[in-house]
Amino acid sequence: MNKITKYILLMVLFLGLVLIRTFEDILFYDPYLTFFENVYLYIDSPRREVAKLVLFTSLRFLLNTLLSLGILYVIFKDKNIIKFSVLIYGLAYVLLMIPFLYFVTNPKQEDYYLFFNIRRFLIQPIGLILLLPAFYYYKLNR
C-alpha cells in the first residue's frame, strides 16, 4: 500500500469515528447523552428502555471497534496486533458491560460518576487511544 492510499484510508477511518461522535444523538438511542451534559447532579436517572440502550451501546462499541481495528491495521500492517486487539476489545466489552448493566438497572446518584466513565469507555474509541501508542512503542523496541 503506497503512502497516499494509506493516508486517504486513515482519513476515511478517522472521519468515520468523527461522524459517529457528531451524529450520536441521531444514530443511537441514549437518554444519558443529555443527562450527563449538566443535569445529572440535580435530577434522577432518566427513563430508559434497557434492552434498546444495551443494543445501541453495543452497536456503537462495535462500530468504534471496527474502525479502530482498521486504523491499527493500516498503521501497523500486522495481523498479530489485530488478533491481540480483538482479544482486548472483546474482553473490555464483557468487563465493561457487566457494571454498565448494573448501573443502568440500579441507578443511584452516588454512582453516576463511575457509571459515566464506564459508559464513556463503551461509547468512545478510548481503546484506540490506549492501543495506538502501546503498539507503536512495542514496534520501536522489537
Side-chain angles (χ1 to χ4, degrees):
M1 180 180 323
N2 65 29
K3 282 189 175 195
I4 294 173
T5 306
K6 180 179 177 178
Y7 290 133
I8 290 172
L9 195 52
L10 281 174
M11 285 190 334
V12 167
L13 291 167
F14 275 111
L15 180 64
L17 290 173
V18 170
L19 290 174
I20 287 172
R21 172 77 171 155
T22 303
F23 297 109
E24 65 188 358
D25 52 343
I26 298 167
L27 296 172
F28 307 105
Y29 169 77
D30 192 351
Y32 292 103
L33 286 173
T34 55
F35 177 72
F36 280 124
E37 283 179 1
N38 58 10
V39 297
Y40 73 96
L41 295 173
Y42 309 107
I43 64 172
D44 289 332
S45 184
R47 294 180 60 102
R48 67 232 166 264
E49 297 176 44
V50 176
K52 189 174 179 182
L53 178 62
V54 169
L55 175 72
F56 278 96
T57 302
S58 298
L59 175 64
R60 187 166 176 183
F61 182 85
L62 178 67
L63 291 174
N64 282 331
T65 299
L66 292 174
L67 290 170
S68 297
L69 290 172
I71 290 167
L72 290 171
Y73 183 75
V74 169
I75 291 173
F76 297 110
K77 294 182 197 77
D78 187 342
K79 290 183 182 179
N80 289 325
I81 285 178
I82 301 306
K83 289 177 187 177
F84 183 71
S85 298
V86 168
L87 179 68
I88 294 294
Y89 277 109
L91 193 61
Y93 176 77
V94 171
L95 292 177
L96 291 168
M97 192 52 75
I98 292 168
F100 178 79
L101 286 169
Y102 171 77
F103 290 130
V104 166
T105 56
N106 300 306
K108 295 180 189 140
Q109 195 166 13
E110 60 268 13
D111 294 333
Y112 286 167
Y113 184 72
L114 185 57
F115 174 51
F116 171 78
N117 286 302
I118 288 171
R119 185 180 149 275
R120 177 182 279 174
F121 271 92
L122 284 168
I123 67 170
Q124 304 292 336
I126 294 175
L128 178 64
I129 294 169
L130 296 172
L131 291 176
L132 196 57
F135 289 137
Y136 179 75
Y137 182 76
Y138 170 76
K139 284 284 196 177
L140 281 178
N141 291 322
R142 198 165 108 191

